[in-house]
Amino acid sequence: MLLKENIPVRYIFGKIRIEVLMVTMYAVLIALLYKNFHFTRISIPIAVPTLLGTVISLLLAFKSNQAYDRWWEARTLWGAIVNDSRTLTRQLFTYIDTHYGTAEEKAFCERMAKRQIAWCYALSQQLRGHDAMPGLDKWLCNEDFEYIKSYSNKSVALLELHGGDLRHAYKLGWINEFQQVEMDATLTRFSNHMGGCERIKTTVFPSTYKVYIHFALILFVALLPFGLIEFFGMVEIPMVIAIASSFFLIEKMAIHLQDPFENKPTDTPTTAISATIERDILQMLKQYYKEDKPAEDPAVKSKVFYIL
């Protein structure tokens, strides 16, 4: 997502440049027919396009509200992912007690915390239709990386590994029953957030709804010069262009907002949010271990903490 306070005018009108060009040619043609060829009977009462424009405004407002609701829901889901990622990391630090010393506890918490970072990046890439695997090897051990290769949905595989680690920790007595339930509830929320994002991604606006509004908008623009020509003469050209551009821009805005995971400037900034989660988790790891380096004991790092 491109986050800018000032959106370039070139970008804004670049989305409707074809529509503006067609409207300009059409408005000029009507004005020339009226002035040079004296086709005075082509004018119509201004109330006709006004009434149609009012109806279209209501339809566009409804569509824009529905599109914004989809965008806001996507942003809310990712906000919840941020909170729950911090919660999971905190639970790891406060619940896990391996009884074997700092090295093993540290390796277990670090492994799950970094896997959570990988989960966020994997979900972000999947929602945008990209391959989720590149870059995950930075956060996953070799066993985890090889395990998720067989899954089409990498985020589901990572949550499964999380669950397996929790089950193993419970069996070893590193967490008690109530702590396992709390941490498993956190993983369930991750699954719900992922499902909500996928629902938004795969559920599109009905195509007929889009076609009908666009057809009505074209009819409105086609009638607009005939309603303005008698009162404004040649001035109707810039007026028609301005009014039509406003309606087309609102339509484009709604179309872009209704798909918040399509690599557009209006997208939910999932990559930036994932980077924020990465920063926070790494800082929590650093602070919790008082800036000690992660465990480098090969015997500890090679242990597989999940049971499938």
Side-chain angles (χ1 to χ4, degrees):
M1 179 179 181
L2 303 177
L3 298 176
K4 292 186 177 181
E5 294 182 359
N6 299 319
I7 302 177
V9 176
R10 179 180 178 183
Y11 171 80
I12 296 175
F13 288 97
K15 297 298 180 180
I16 59 170
R17 59 182 180 276
I18 297 178
E19 290 88 342
V20 171
L21 178 61
M22 298 299 293
V23 169
T24 301
M25 295 173 60
Y26 180 71
V28 170
L29 176 62
I30 299 301
L32 291 177
L33 290 176
Y34 186 85
K35 182 176 182 180
N36 296 338
F37 297 94
H38 307 291
F39 288 172
T40 57
R41 293 183 180 180
I42 63 176
S43 64
I44 61 175
I46 189 63
V48 176
T50 299
L51 180 61
L52 184 58
T54 302
V55 174
I56 294 174
S57 298
L58 295 175
L59 292 174
L60 286 177
F62 176 77
K63 182 177 181 180
S64 298
N65 288 335
Q66 295 300 311
Y68 180 79
D69 286 343
R70 285 166 59 91
W71 182 89
W72 182 246
E73 183 182 2
R75 184 60 185 88
T76 301
L77 288 169
W78 272 87
I81 289 173
V82 174
N83 296 336
D84 286 334
S85 295
R86 295 165 179 163
T87 297
L88 178 63
T89 307
R90 175 180 53 79
Q91 289 173 335
L92 288 171
F93 297 154
T94 56
Y95 290 172
I96 301 298
D97 183 6
T98 64
H99 313 298
Y100 301 143
T102 304
E104 186 138 11
E105 177 181 334
K106 185 175 182 180
F108 181 85
C109 294
E110 180 184 347
R111 178 170 179 164
M112 283 199 67
K114 289 187 175 181
R115 187 190 295 143
Q116 180 56 33
I117 296 175
W119 182 86
C120 295
Y121 280 116
L123 180 60
S124 173
Q125 295 303 310
Q126 288 175 189
L127 291 173
R128 290 177 170 170
H130 297 163
D131 183 8
M133 291 299 291
L136 295 188
D137 54 338
K138 177 182 178 181
W139 307 109
L140 301 175
C141 63
N142 292 333
E143 294 90 345
D144 289 357
F145 190 78
E146 291 297 324
Y147 177 79
I148 67 174
K149 283 184 178 180
S150 61
Y151 280 74
S152 58
N153 192 322
K154 312 303 180 186
S155 299
V156 170
L158 292 171
L159 287 181
E160 184 177 345
L161 291 173
H162 272 341
D165 277 5
L166 290 183
R167 180 179 62 180
H168 189 61
Y170 172 69
K171 288 184 176 182
L172 292 177
W174 297 353
I175 55 177
N176 60 41
E177 181 178 355
F178 299 102
Q179 292 170 336
Q180 183 194 22
V181 170
E182 283 294 320
M183 296 184 74
D184 189 75
T186 304
L187 299 186
T188 299
R189 290 197 297 271
F190 283 128
S191 182
N192 293 337
H193 302 331
M194 178 173 61
C197 292
E198 291 172 343
R199 170 175 48 79
I200 295 173
K201 173 72 174 181
T202 57
T203 304
V204 298
F205 268 65
S207 58
T208 53
Y209 187 77
K210 174 183 176 181
V211 170
Y212 293 162
I213 292 181
H214 191 67
F215 177 78
L217 181 55
I218 292 177
L219 179 61
F220 166 72
V221 174
L223 294 177
L224 190 58
F226 298 103
L228 299 178
I229 190 66
E230 183 176 357
F231 299 97
F232 299 100
M234 297 295 291
V235 181
E236 63 90 11
I237 298 176
M239 293 185 65
V240 169
I241 295 174
I243 296 173
S245 298
S246 300
F247 278 87
F248 283 126
L249 282 173
I250 295 174
E251 183 189 32
K252 291 291 185 180
M253 176 196 67
I255 293 174
H256 290 172
L257 283 179
Q258 71 187 25
D259 296 319
F261 301 118
E262 297 295 333
N263 289 322
K264 297 176 182 176
T266 53
D267 277 3
T268 300
T270 56
T271 302
I273 295 174
S274 298
T276 299
I277 295 172
E278 172 191 342
R279 180 202 64 194
D280 291 347
I281 290 179
L282 292 180
Q283 287 180 350
M284 293 172 73
L285 282 169
K286 182 178 180 180
Q287 180 65 25
Y288 182 73
Y289 293 118
K290 302 183 184 303
E291 300 187 3
D292 289 340
K293 292 183 179 181
E296 297 293 342
D297 185 354
V300 174
K301 291 181 71 66
S302 63
K303 289 187 177 181
V304 179
F305 292 109
Y306 56 86
I307 300 177
L308 300 176

PDB file of all heavy atoms in Angstrom, residues 264-288:
ATOM      1  N   LYS A 264      -2.938  -2.575  -4.516  1.00  0.00           N
ATOM      2  CA  LYS A 264      -3.275  -1.235  -4.974  1.00  0.00           C
ATOM      3  C   LYS A 264      -2.941  -0.239  -3.871  1.00  0.00           C
ATOM      4  O   LYS A 264      -2.797  -0.610  -2.703  1.00  0.00           O
ATOM      5  CB  LYS A 264      -4.762  -1.159  -5.332  1.00  0.00           C
ATOM      6  CG  LYS A 264      -5.166  -2.075  -6.486  1.00  0.00           C
ATOM      7  CD  LYS A 264      -6.662  -2.020  -6.717  1.00  0.00           C
ATOM      8  CE  LYS A 264      -7.082  -2.969  -7.840  1.00  0.00           C
ATOM      9  NZ  LYS A 264      -8.553  -3.001  -8.009  1.00  0.00           N
ATOM     10  N   PRO A 265      -2.827   1.052  -4.221  1.00  0.00           N
ATOM     11  CA  PRO A 265      -2.521   2.056  -3.181  1.00  0.00           C
ATOM     12  C   PRO A 265      -3.557   2.111  -2.073  1.00  0.00           C
ATOM     13  O   PRO A 265      -3.265   2.588  -0.981  1.00  0.00           O
ATOM     14  CB  PRO A 265      -2.475   3.366  -3.971  1.00  0.00           C
ATOM     15  CG  PRO A 265      -2.111   2.960  -5.351  1.00  0.00           C
ATOM     16  CD  PRO A 265      -2.769   1.633  -5.576  1.00  0.00           C
ATOM     17  N   THR A 266      -4.779   1.641  -2.339  1.00  0.00           N
ATOM     18  CA  THR A 266      -5.826   1.656  -1.316  1.00  0.00           C
ATOM     19  C   THR A 266      -5.869   0.367  -0.510  1.00  0.00           C
ATOM     20  O   THR A 266      -6.772   0.186   0.313  1.00  0.00           O
ATOM     21  CB  THR A 266      -7.197   1.879  -1.982  1.00  0.00           C
ATOM     22  OG1 THR A 266      -7.381   0.919  -3.036  1.00  0.00           O
ATOM     23  CG2 THR A 266      -7.298   3.270  -2.563  1.00  0.00           C
ATOM     24  N   ASP A 267      -4.920  -0.538  -0.724  1.00  0.00           N
ATOM     25  CA  ASP A 267      -4.920  -1.821  -0.027  1.00  0.00           C
ATOM     26  C   ASP A 267      -4.700  -1.660   1.473  1.00  0.00           C
ATOM     27  O   ASP A 267      -4.135  -0.663   1.945  1.00  0.00           O
ATOM     28  CB  ASP A 267      -3.814  -2.721  -0.569  1.00  0.00           C
ATOM     29  CG  ASP A 267      -4.243  -3.446  -1.835  1.00  0.00           C
ATOM     30  OD1 ASP A 267      -5.359  -3.191  -2.288  1.00  0.00           O
ATOM     31  OD2 ASP A 267      -3.454  -4.248  -2.351  1.00  0.00           O
ATOM     32  N   THR A 268      -5.103  -2.682   2.214  1.00  0.00           N
ATOM     33  CA  THR A 268      -4.685  -2.808   3.606  1.00  0.00           C
ATOM     34  C   THR A 268      -3.183  -3.099   3.621  1.00  0.00           C
ATOM     35  O   THR A 268      -2.732  -4.024   2.942  1.00  0.00           O
ATOM     36  CB  THR A 268      -5.442  -3.961   4.290  1.00  0.00           C
ATOM     37  OG1 THR A 268      -6.839  -3.688   4.237  1.00  0.00           O
ATOM     38  CG2 THR A 268      -5.005  -4.097   5.739  1.00  0.00           C
ATOM     39  N   PRO A 269      -2.396  -2.315   4.354  1.00  0.00           N
ATOM     40  CA  PRO A 269      -0.929  -2.445   4.289  1.00  0.00           C
ATOM     41  C   PRO A 269      -0.421  -3.659   5.055  1.00  0.00           C
ATOM     42  O   PRO A 269       0.240  -3.545   6.090  1.00  0.00           O
ATOM     43  CB  PRO A 269      -0.442  -1.137   4.914  1.00  0.00           C
ATOM     44  CG  PRO A 269      -1.508  -0.779   5.889  1.00  0.00           C
ATOM     45  CD  PRO A 269      -2.804  -1.222   5.255  1.00  0.00           C
ATOM     46  N   THR A 270      -0.708  -4.852   4.545  1.00  0.00           N
ATOM     47  CA  THR A 270      -0.373  -6.073   5.271  1.00  0.00           C
ATOM     48  C   THR A 270       1.136  -6.263   5.443  1.00  0.00           C
ATOM     49  O   THR A 270       1.575  -6.757   6.485  1.00  0.00           O
ATOM     50  CB  THR A 270      -0.962  -7.289   4.546  1.00  0.00           C
ATOM     51  OG1 THR A 270      -0.494  -7.322   3.187  1.00  0.00           O
ATOM     52  CG2 THR A 270      -2.492  -7.221   4.533  1.00  0.00           C
ATOM     53  N   THR A 271       1.917  -5.879   4.447  1.00  0.00           N
ATOM     54  CA  THR A 271       3.375  -6.034   4.568  1.00  0.00           C
ATOM     55  C   THR A 271       3.934  -5.108   5.627  1.00  0.00           C
ATOM     56  O   THR A 271       4.774  -5.504   6.444  1.00  0.00           O
ATOM     57  CB  THR A 271       4.057  -5.765   3.221  1.00  0.00           C
ATOM     58  OG1 THR A 271       3.535  -6.655   2.222  1.00  0.00           O
ATOM     59  CG2 THR A 271       5.561  -5.970   3.330  1.00  0.00           C
ATOM     60  N   ALA A 272       3.460  -3.871   5.650  1.00  0.00           N
ATOM     61  CA  ALA A 272       3.910  -2.914   6.664  1.00  0.00           C
ATOM     62  C   ALA A 272       3.474  -3.354   8.058  1.00  0.00           C
ATOM     63  O   ALA A 272       4.232  -3.221   9.030  1.00  0.00           O
ATOM     64  CB  ALA A 272       3.363  -1.524   6.351  1.00  0.00           C
ATOM     65  N   ILE A 273       2.274  -3.886   8.169  1.00  0.00           N
ATOM     66  CA  ILE A 273       1.798  -4.375   9.469  1.00  0.00           C
ATOM     67  C   ILE A 273       2.625  -5.574   9.921  1.00  0.00           C
ATOM     68  O   ILE A 273       2.983  -5.692  11.104  1.00  0.00           O
ATOM     69  CB  ILE A 273       0.306  -4.733   9.387  1.00  0.00           C
ATOM     70  CG1 ILE A 273      -0.529  -3.480   9.128  1.00  0.00           C
ATOM     71  CG2 ILE A 273      -0.155  -5.405  10.681  1.00  0.00           C
ATOM     72  CD1 ILE A 273      -1.994  -3.752   8.900  1.00  0.00           C
ATOM     73  N   SER A 274       2.954  -6.468   8.994  1.00  0.00           N
ATOM     74  CA  SER A 274       3.800  -7.615   9.332  1.00  0.00           C
ATOM     75  C   SER A 274       5.174  -7.161   9.801  1.00  0.00           C
ATOM     76  O   SER A 274       5.753  -7.748  10.727  1.00  0.00           O
ATOM     77  CB  SER A 274       3.935  -8.541   8.117  1.00  0.00           C
ATOM     78  OG  SER A 274       2.685  -9.061   7.724  1.00  0.00           O
ATOM     79  N   ALA A 275       5.698  -6.109   9.165  1.00  0.00           N
ATOM     80  CA  ALA A 275       6.993  -5.577   9.596  1.00  0.00           C
ATOM     81  C   ALA A 275       6.899  -4.994  11.006  1.00  0.00           C
ATOM     82  O   ALA A 275       7.850  -5.100  11.796  1.00  0.00           O
ATOM     83  CB  ALA A 275       7.465  -4.507   8.613  1.00  0.00           C
ATOM     84  N   THR A 276       5.769  -4.384  11.337  1.00  0.00           N
ATOM     85  CA  THR A 276       5.559  -3.876  12.691  1.00  0.00           C
ATOM     86  C   THR A 276       5.529  -5.016  13.699  1.00  0.00           C
ATOM     87  O   THR A 276       6.113  -4.925  14.791  1.00  0.00           O
ATOM     88  CB  THR A 276       4.245  -3.080  12.766  1.00  0.00           C
ATOM     89  OG1 THR A 276       4.303  -1.964  11.873  1.00  0.00           O
ATOM     90  CG2 THR A 276       3.993  -2.571  14.178  1.00  0.00           C
ATOM     91  N   ILE A 277       4.839  -6.097  13.341  1.00  0.00           N
ATOM     92  CA  ILE A 277       4.797  -7.271  14.220  1.00  0.00           C
ATOM     93  C   ILE A 277       6.201  -7.845  14.409  1.00  0.00           C
ATOM     94  O   ILE A 277       6.595  -8.204  15.525  1.00  0.00           O
ATOM     95  CB  ILE A 277       3.843  -8.333  13.637  1.00  0.00           C
ATOM     96  CG1 ILE A 277       2.404  -7.804  13.634  1.00  0.00           C
ATOM     97  CG2 ILE A 277       3.941  -9.633  14.428  1.00  0.00           C
ATOM     98  CD1 ILE A 277       1.430  -8.700  12.915  1.00  0.00           C
ATOM     99  N   GLU A 278       6.952  -7.926  13.311  1.00  0.00           N
ATOM    100  CA  GLU A 278       8.337  -8.415  13.393  1.00  0.00           C
ATOM    101  C   GLU A 278       9.155  -7.562  14.352  1.00  0.00           C
ATOM    102  O   GLU A 278       9.864  -8.090  15.223  1.00  0.00           O
ATOM    103  CB  GLU A 278       8.969  -8.393  11.999  1.00  0.00           C
ATOM    104  CG  GLU A 278      10.451  -8.700  11.998  1.00  0.00           C
ATOM    105  CD  GLU A 278      11.097  -8.400  10.653  1.00  0.00           C
ATOM    106  OE1 GLU A 278      10.377  -8.291   9.638  1.00  0.00           O
ATOM    107  OE2 GLU A 278      12.344  -8.260  10.627  1.00  0.00           O
ATOM    108  N   ARG A 279       9.057  -6.254  14.213  1.00  0.00           N
ATOM    109  CA  ARG A 279       9.813  -5.349  15.084  1.00  0.00           C
ATOM    110  C   ARG A 279       9.459  -5.548  16.549  1.00  0.00           C
ATOM    111  O   ARG A 279      10.329  -5.661  17.410  1.00  0.00           O
ATOM    112  CB  ARG A 279       9.525  -3.910  14.668  1.00  0.00           C
ATOM    113  CG  ARG A 279      10.243  -2.842  15.497  1.00  0.00           C
ATOM    114  CD  ARG A 279       9.515  -1.523  15.391  1.00  0.00           C
ATOM    115  NE  ARG A 279       8.176  -1.622  15.973  1.00  0.00           N
ATOM    116  CZ  ARG A 279       7.224  -0.713  15.782  1.00  0.00           C
ATOM    117  NH1 ARG A 279       7.444   0.340  14.997  1.00  0.00           N
ATOM    118  NH2 ARG A 279       6.039  -0.855  16.362  1.00  0.00           N
ATOM    119  N   ASP A 280       8.161  -5.625  16.834  1.00  0.00           N
ATOM    120  CA  ASP A 280       7.722  -5.742  18.223  1.00  0.00           C
ATOM    121  C   ASP A 280       8.141  -7.071  18.839  1.00  0.00           C
ATOM    122  O   ASP A 280       8.602  -7.116  19.989  1.00  0.00           O
ATOM    123  CB  ASP A 280       6.201  -5.591  18.310  1.00  0.00           C
ATOM    124  CG  ASP A 280       5.746  -4.178  17.996  1.00  0.00           C
ATOM    125  OD1 ASP A 280       6.602  -3.277  17.959  1.00  0.00           O
ATOM    126  OD2 ASP A 280       4.531  -3.973  17.793  1.00  0.00           O
ATOM    127  N   ILE A 281       7.993  -8.158  18.095  1.00  0.00           N
ATOM    128  CA  ILE A 281       8.354  -9.468  18.640  1.00  0.00           C
ATOM    129  C   ILE A 281       9.862  -9.560  18.887  1.00  0.00           C
ATOM    130  O   ILE A 281      10.302 -10.062  19.931  1.00  0.00           O
ATOM    131  CB  ILE A 281       7.889 -10.586  17.693  1.00  0.00           C
ATOM    132  CG1 ILE A 281       6.358 -10.693  17.715  1.00  0.00           C
ATOM    133  CG2 ILE A 281       8.510 -11.929  18.081  1.00  0.00           C
ATOM    134  CD1 ILE A 281       5.795 -11.752  16.781  1.00  0.00           C
ATOM    135  N   LEU A 282      10.647  -9.050  17.950  1.00  0.00           N
ATOM    136  CA  LEU A 282      12.098  -9.093  18.136  1.00  0.00           C
ATOM    137  C   LEU A 282      12.531  -8.230  19.316  1.00  0.00           C
ATOM    138  O   LEU A 282      13.441  -8.604  20.079  1.00  0.00           O
ATOM    139  CB  LEU A 282      12.800  -8.638  16.855  1.00  0.00           C
ATOM    140  CG  LEU A 282      12.674  -9.572  15.647  1.00  0.00           C
ATOM    141  CD1 LEU A 282      13.415  -8.999  14.447  1.00  0.00           C
ATOM    142  CD2 LEU A 282      13.182 -10.977  15.981  1.00  0.00           C
ATOM    143  N   GLN A 283      11.881  -7.084  19.483  1.00  0.00           N
ATOM    144  CA  GLN A 283      12.203  -6.249  20.640  1.00  0.00           C
ATOM    145  C   GLN A 283      11.798  -6.921  21.949  1.00  0.00           C
ATOM    146  O   GLN A 283      12.508  -6.814  22.958  1.00  0.00           O
ATOM    147  CB  GLN A 283      11.513  -4.890  20.503  1.00  0.00           C
ATOM    148  CG  GLN A 283      12.140  -3.993  19.454  1.00  0.00           C
ATOM    149  CD  GLN A 283      11.443  -2.650  19.332  1.00  0.00           C
ATOM    150  OE1 GLN A 283      10.364  -2.430  19.900  1.00  0.00           O
ATOM    151  NE2 GLN A 283      12.053  -1.733  18.595  1.00  0.00           N
ATOM    152  N   MET A 284      10.660  -7.622  21.937  1.00  0.00           N
ATOM    153  CA  MET A 284      10.233  -8.352  23.129  1.00  0.00           C
ATOM    154  C   MET A 284      11.212  -9.475  23.456  1.00  0.00           C
ATOM    155  O   MET A 284      11.545  -9.714  24.622  1.00  0.00           O
ATOM    156  CB  MET A 284       8.818  -8.902  22.930  1.00  0.00           C
ATOM    157  CG  MET A 284       7.757  -7.823  22.834  1.00  0.00           C
ATOM    158  SD  MET A 284       6.124  -8.465  22.361  1.00  0.00           S
ATOM    159  CE  MET A 284       5.641  -9.301  23.886  1.00  0.00           C
ATOM    160  N   LEU A 285      11.691 -10.168  22.421  1.00  0.00           N
ATOM    161  CA  LEU A 285      12.697 -11.207  22.639  1.00  0.00           C
ATOM    162  C   LEU A 285      13.976 -10.625  23.236  1.00  0.00           C
ATOM    163  O   LEU A 285      14.538 -11.160  24.197  1.00  0.00           O
ATOM    164  CB  LEU A 285      13.016 -11.907  21.318  1.00  0.00           C
ATOM    165  CG  LEU A 285      12.025 -12.952  20.804  1.00  0.00           C
ATOM    166  CD1 LEU A 285      12.367 -13.339  19.372  1.00  0.00           C
ATOM    167  CD2 LEU A 285      12.023 -14.192  21.701  1.00  0.00           C
ATOM    168  N   LYS A 286      14.391  -9.530  22.689  1.00  0.00           N
ATOM    169  CA  LYS A 286      15.631  -8.896  23.141  1.00  0.00           C
ATOM    170  C   LYS A 286      15.502  -8.409  24.584  1.00  0.00           C
ATOM    171  O   LYS A 286      16.405  -8.599  25.401  1.00  0.00           O
ATOM    172  CB  LYS A 286      15.981  -7.738  22.209  1.00  0.00           C
ATOM    173  CG  LYS A 286      17.288  -7.031  22.553  1.00  0.00           C
ATOM    174  CD  LYS A 286      17.552  -5.937  21.534  1.00  0.00           C
ATOM    175  CE  LYS A 286      18.861  -5.219  21.850  1.00  0.00           C
ATOM    176  NZ  LYS A 286      19.129  -4.137  20.867  1.00  0.00           N
ATOM    177  N   GLN A 287      14.370  -7.791  24.892  1.00  0.00           N
ATOM    178  CA  GLN A 287      14.181  -7.256  26.232  1.00  0.00           C
ATOM    179  C   GLN A 287      14.020  -8.361  27.265  1.00  0.00           C
ATOM    180  O   GLN A 287      14.550  -8.282  28.372  1.00  0.00           O
ATOM    181  CB  GLN A 287      12.941  -6.347  26.249  1.00  0.00           C
ATOM    182  CG  GLN A 287      12.638  -5.718  27.606  1.00  0.00           C
ATOM    183  CD  GLN A 287      13.726  -4.763  28.045  1.00  0.00           C
ATOM    184  OE1 GLN A 287      14.446  -4.205  27.205  1.00  0.00           O
ATOM    185  NE2 GLN A 287      13.875  -4.578  29.353  1.00  0.00           N
ATOM    186  N   TYR A 288      13.284  -9.397  26.902  1.00  0.00           N
ATOM    187  CA  TYR A 288      13.026 -10.480  27.856  1.00  0.00           C
ATOM    188  C   TYR A 288      14.318 -11.192  28.252  1.00  0.00           C
ATOM    189  O   TYR A 288      14.499 -11.571  29.401  1.00  0.00           O
ATOM    190  CB  TYR A 288      12.047 -11.485  27.266  1.00  0.00           C
ATOM    191  CG  TYR A 288      11.693 -12.610  28.197  1.00  0.00           C
ATOM    192  CD1 TYR A 288      10.866 -12.396  29.294  1.00  0.00           C
ATOM    193  CD2 TYR A 288      12.203 -13.891  27.984  1.00  0.00           C
ATOM    194  CE1 TYR A 288      10.548 -13.425  30.163  1.00  0.00           C
ATOM    195  CE2 TYR A 288      11.886 -14.924  28.849  1.00  0.00           C
ATOM    196  CZ  TYR A 288      11.055 -14.694  29.937  1.00  0.00           C
ATOM    197  OH  TYR A 288      10.755 -15.721  30.786  1.00  0.00           O
TER     198      TYR A 288
END
